[in-house]
PDB file of all heavy atoms in Angstrom:
ATOM      1  N   VAL W 240     178.879 193.925 -21.631  1.00 73.00           N
ATOM      2  CA  VAL W 240     179.082 195.184 -20.884  1.00 73.00           C
ATOM      3  C   VAL W 240     180.568 195.438 -20.669  1.00 73.00           C
ATOM      4  O   VAL W 240     181.065 196.535 -20.878  1.00 73.00           O
ATOM      5  CB  VAL W 240     178.325 195.137 -19.532  1.00 73.00           C
ATOM      6  CG1 VAL W 240     178.663 196.336 -18.685  1.00 73.00           C
ATOM      7  CG2 VAL W 240     176.833 195.019 -19.764  1.00 73.00           C
ATOM      8  N   LEU W 244     183.123 198.428 -22.162  1.00 76.00           N
ATOM      9  CA  LEU W 244     183.976 199.309 -21.338  1.00 76.00           C
ATOM     10  C   LEU W 244     185.424 199.264 -21.762  1.00 76.00           C
ATOM     11  O   LEU W 244     186.266 199.978 -21.207  1.00 76.00           O
ATOM     12  CB  LEU W 244     183.852 198.896 -19.874  1.00 76.00           C
ATOM     13  CG  LEU W 244     182.499 199.141 -19.206  1.00 76.00           C
ATOM     14  CD1 LEU W 244     182.438 198.459 -17.846  1.00 76.00           C
ATOM     15  CD2 LEU W 244     182.237 200.645 -19.091  1.00 76.00           C
ATOM     16  N   VAL W 338     172.857 193.338  -7.538  1.00 90.00           N
ATOM     17  CA  VAL W 338     172.968 194.138  -8.769  1.00 90.00           C
ATOM     18  C   VAL W 338     171.765 193.929  -9.672  1.00 90.00           C
ATOM     19  O   VAL W 338     171.558 194.707 -10.599  1.00 90.00           O
ATOM     20  CB  VAL W 338     174.265 193.860  -9.538  1.00 90.00           C
ATOM     21  CG1 VAL W 338     175.482 194.242  -8.703  1.00 90.00           C
ATOM     22  CG2 VAL W 338     174.379 192.409  -9.958  1.00 90.00           C
ATOM     23  N   GLU W 340     169.613 193.259 -12.604  1.00 83.00           N
ATOM     24  CA  GLU W 340     169.953 193.273 -14.027  1.00 83.00           C
ATOM     25  C   GLU W 340     170.756 194.520 -14.428  1.00 83.00           C
ATOM     26  O   GLU W 340     170.925 194.797 -15.593  1.00 83.00           O
ATOM     27  CB  GLU W 340     168.658 193.234 -14.865  1.00 83.00           C
ATOM     28  CG  GLU W 340     167.842 191.952 -14.642  1.00 83.00           C
ATOM     29  CD  GLU W 340     168.578 190.706 -15.060  1.00 83.00           C
ATOM     30  OE1 GLU W 340     169.261 190.743 -16.115  1.00 83.00           O
ATOM     31  OE2 GLU W 340     168.531 189.715 -14.326  1.00 83.00           O
ATOM     32  N   SER W 341     171.233 195.270 -13.441  1.00 86.00           N
ATOM     33  CA  SER W 341     171.914 196.535 -13.707  1.00 86.00           C
ATOM     34  C   SER W 341     173.356 196.290 -14.227  1.00 86.00           C
ATOM     35  O   SER W 341     174.219 195.857 -13.474  1.00 86.00           O
ATOM     36  CB  SER W 341     171.970 197.412 -12.465  1.00 86.00           C
ATOM     37  OG  SER W 341     172.797 198.537 -12.697  1.00 86.00           O
ATOM     38  N   ALA W 342     173.573 196.625 -15.471  1.00 84.00           N
ATOM     39  CA  ALA W 342     174.912 196.469 -16.051  1.00 84.00           C
ATOM     40  C   ALA W 342     175.892 197.442 -15.394  1.00 84.00           C
ATOM     41  O   ALA W 342     177.075 197.118 -15.226  1.00 84.00           O
ATOM     42  CB  ALA W 342     174.840 196.729 -17.560  1.00 84.00           C
ATOM     43  N   GLU W 343     175.412 198.626 -15.003  1.00 86.00           N
ATOM     44  CA  GLU W 343     176.293 199.612 -14.401  1.00 86.00           C
ATOM     45  C   GLU W 343     176.781 199.139 -13.027  1.00 86.00           C
ATOM     46  O   GLU W 343     177.961 199.260 -12.696  1.00 86.00           O
ATOM     47  CB  GLU W 343     175.591 200.952 -14.269  1.00 86.00           C
ATOM     48  CG  GLU W 343     175.280 201.636 -15.575  1.00 86.00           C
ATOM     49  CD  GLU W 343     174.026 201.102 -16.245  1.00 86.00           C
ATOM     50  OE1 GLU W 343     173.212 200.408 -15.599  1.00 86.00           O
ATOM     51  OE2 GLU W 343     173.857 201.382 -17.446  1.00 86.00           O
ATOM     52  N   LEU W 344     175.870 198.605 -12.190  1.00 88.00           N
ATOM     53  CA  LEU W 344     176.281 198.106 -10.889  1.00 88.00           C
ATOM     54  C   LEU W 344     177.215 196.907 -11.029  1.00 88.00           C
ATOM     55  O   LEU W 344     178.214 196.814 -10.313  1.00 88.00           O
ATOM     56  CB  LEU W 344     175.059 197.693 -10.058  1.00 88.00           C
ATOM     57  CG  LEU W 344     174.226 198.834  -9.507  1.00 88.00           C
ATOM     58  CD1 LEU W 344     172.978 198.280  -8.817  1.00 88.00           C
ATOM     59  CD2 LEU W 344     175.021 199.671  -8.527  1.00 88.00           C
ATOM     60  N   ARG W 345     176.906 196.042 -11.951  1.00 86.00           N
ATOM     61  CA  ARG W 345     177.770 194.886 -12.199  1.00 86.00           C
ATOM     62  C   ARG W 345     179.171 195.327 -12.578  1.00 86.00           C
ATOM     63  O   ARG W 345     180.164 194.831 -12.014  1.00 86.00           O
ATOM     64  CB  ARG W 345     177.146 194.033 -13.324  1.00 86.00           C
ATOM     65  CG  ARG W 345     177.984 192.866 -13.735  1.00 86.00           C
ATOM     66  CD  ARG W 345     177.309 192.168 -14.933  1.00 86.00           C
ATOM     67  NE  ARG W 345     178.239 191.389 -15.656  1.00 86.00           N
ATOM     68  CZ  ARG W 345     178.555 190.141 -15.365  1.00 86.00           C
ATOM     69  NH1 ARG W 345     177.986 189.576 -14.322  1.00 86.00           N
ATOM     70  NH2 ARG W 345     179.429 189.470 -16.089  1.00 86.00           N
ATOM     71  N   ALA W 346     179.300 196.250 -13.491  1.00 86.00           N
ATOM     72  CA  ALA W 346     180.605 196.761 -13.937  1.00 86.00           C
ATOM     73  C   ALA W 346     181.322 197.438 -12.781  1.00 86.00           C
ATOM     74  O   ALA W 346     182.565 197.261 -12.628  1.00 86.00           O
ATOM     75  CB  ALA W 346     180.437 197.731 -15.093  1.00 86.00           C
ATOM     76  N   ALA W 347     180.611 198.159 -11.938  1.00 88.00           N
ATOM     77  CA  ALA W 347     181.239 198.821 -10.795  1.00 88.00           C
ATOM     78  C   ALA W 347     181.840 197.806  -9.818  1.00 88.00           C
ATOM     79  O   ALA W 347     182.966 197.987  -9.347  1.00 88.00           O
ATOM     80  CB  ALA W 347     180.238 199.708 -10.083  1.00 88.00           C
ATOM     81  N   VAL W 348     181.128 196.729  -9.562  1.00 88.00           N
ATOM     82  CA  VAL W 348     181.634 195.705  -8.638  1.00 88.00           C
ATOM     83  C   VAL W 348     182.840 195.030  -9.261  1.00 88.00           C
ATOM     84  O   VAL W 348     183.879 194.820  -8.596  1.00 88.00           O
ATOM     85  CB  VAL W 348     180.551 194.664  -8.278  1.00 88.00           C
ATOM     86  CG1 VAL W 348     181.131 193.495  -7.508  1.00 88.00           C
ATOM     87  CG2 VAL W 348     179.440 195.327  -7.480  1.00 88.00           C
ATOM     88  N   LEU W 349     182.758 194.660 -10.520  1.00 85.00           N
ATOM     89  CA  LEU W 349     183.867 193.961 -11.165  1.00 85.00           C
ATOM     90  C   LEU W 349     185.106 194.826 -11.226  1.00 85.00           C
ATOM     91  O   LEU W 349     186.229 194.350 -11.066  1.00 85.00           O
ATOM     92  CB  LEU W 349     183.464 193.492 -12.568  1.00 85.00           C
ATOM     93  CG  LEU W 349     182.382 192.431 -12.623  1.00 85.00           C
ATOM     94  CD1 LEU W 349     182.057 192.059 -14.059  1.00 85.00           C
ATOM     95  CD2 LEU W 349     182.763 191.223 -11.826  1.00 85.00           C
ATOM     96  N   ARG W 351     186.088 196.937  -9.158  1.00 85.00           N
ATOM     97  CA  ARG W 351     186.681 197.104  -7.821  1.00 85.00           C
ATOM     98  C   ARG W 351     186.881 195.796  -7.085  1.00 85.00           C
ATOM     99  O   ARG W 351     187.230 195.801  -5.917  1.00 85.00           O
ATOM    100  CB  ARG W 351     185.787 198.028  -6.993  1.00 85.00           C
ATOM    101  CG  ARG W 351     185.776 199.445  -7.539  1.00 85.00           C
ATOM    102  CD  ARG W 351     184.587 200.226  -6.993  1.00 85.00           C
ATOM    103  NE  ARG W 351     184.512 201.564  -7.563  1.00 85.00           N
ATOM    104  CZ  ARG W 351     183.965 201.852  -8.736  1.00 85.00           C
ATOM    105  NH1 ARG W 351     183.511 200.885  -9.509  1.00 85.00           N
ATOM    106  NH2 ARG W 351     183.929 203.086  -9.171  1.00 85.00           N
TER     107      ARG W 351
END
Side-chain angles (χ1 to χ4, degrees):
V240 173
L244 292 169
V338 297
E340 298 298 319
S341 172
E343 293 81 14
L344 286 175
R345 176 185 159 85
V348 171
L349 294 180
R351 293 163 184 81

